[in-house]
Amino acid sequence: MIKAGIVGGTGYTGVELLRFLSRHPEVDLAAATSRTEQGKPVADIFPSLRGVTGLAFSDPETTALKHCDVVFFATPSGTAMHQAPDLLEAGVKVIDLSADFRLRDKDEWEHWYGRKHACPGYLSRAVYGLPEVNRNEIRAAELIANPGCYPTVIQLGFLPLLEQDLVETDSLIADAKSGVSGAGRKLTRATQFCEAGESFSAYSADGHRHLPEIKQGLAAFAEDALELVFVPHLLPIIRGIHATLYARLKEPAVDVHSIFKQRYAQEHYVDVLPRGVHPDTASVNGSNVCRMSVFQPQNGATVVILAVEDNLVKGAAGQAVQNMNILYGLDETTGLDHAGIWP
């Protein structure tokens, strides 16, 4: 059994980790920490987990995380970079769901996250945990930087186009929308029900901190310099991301749909829909699937990719468990292979 711990178990990604790991057949969930809820049973804070786990939240300062095989950080950015090095030195594997180890460039990380990085030497050691790209590296990793929710769906959508050098890379556009759970549990005016309900708006149009992560991942497959316009939006729904991606084809006659079908044919958690079918966020609620469709409207010079995912699952906790499965040589679907929730 894999002895696992969770740092930061009371956020939305934390409770999703609890949901998956509590029922994972190869995991002994040993600890879930919380500074604010320490001592309280998990099921008292999250009634949906009554009868699923008898674990109580513990103090992160006193919990023996070094006795775990793997520790997941479901914390805000800026926490894991202080605590992960001690665990790594003790031989514990770390899967970080925050952005602390996603960017390889220290200066760029510090620019976008507005603080000094506590352990920049680990940036080059971290493996970026997008299984559809880095599966072999994940198998041998000690530190896995779990991708962000927007970067996951956008990279998966553009990836086959760049791998085949099918599009002009100087004019990529990602128009993406997320449910309010993407902002976390912290109370803010913009995500209150009365503010977010019956409304729809863009944010961070002049630059979102996920932009360098997306560009870093895509640039590895671009033959030429890559320019990406990424504009996120807030949807009045609880969970889910819908990304509409645009790119100019170098050769309009190419059958892009067939290329996507072939690229993801062996992937457990990328579903390319039949021609003409539009994906919707409800179809992936609660599941680890990224579902997408491919269109070449009008004269076919522009390819449009529609991609959806659950931001808390394939965009966070589910992908983290998928990475753990790969890391320990398990079938990737272990503990994850269930349908989404409908309606």
Side-chain angles (χ1 to χ4, degrees), residues 92-110:
V92 180
K93 308 284 190 181
V94 170
I95 301 176
D96 178 27
L97 280 73
S98 80
D100 283 7
F101 300 101
R102 293 177 190 161
L103 300 182
R104 291 188 291 270
D105 187 297
K106 175 185 74 74
D107 293 336
E108 188 162 38
W109 190 94
E110 292 176 352

Side-chain angles (χ1 to χ4, degrees), residues 104 133 159 162-163 214-223 226:
R104 291 188 291 270
V133 175
L159 183 63
L162 298 179
E163 286 178 332
I214 299 166
K215 292 182 70 174
Q216 175 183 273
L218 294 178
F221 300 94
E223 295 288 335
L226 186 142

Side-chain angles (χ1 to χ4, degrees), residues 115-160:
R115 68 189 80 181
K116 291 289 184 182
H117 200 286
C119 54
Y122 281 90
L123 294 176
S124 61
R125 295 171 58 177
V127 172
Y128 189 66
L130 190 61
E132 293 78 12
V133 175
N134 292 328
R135 188 170 280 110
N136 289 335
E137 292 81 0
I138 292 166
R139 291 190 179 103
E142 296 177 332
L143 170 61
I144 296 173
N146 210 62
C149 50
Y150 281 126
T152 294
V153 71
I154 292 171
Q155 288 179 84
L156 291 175
F158 278 129
L159 183 63

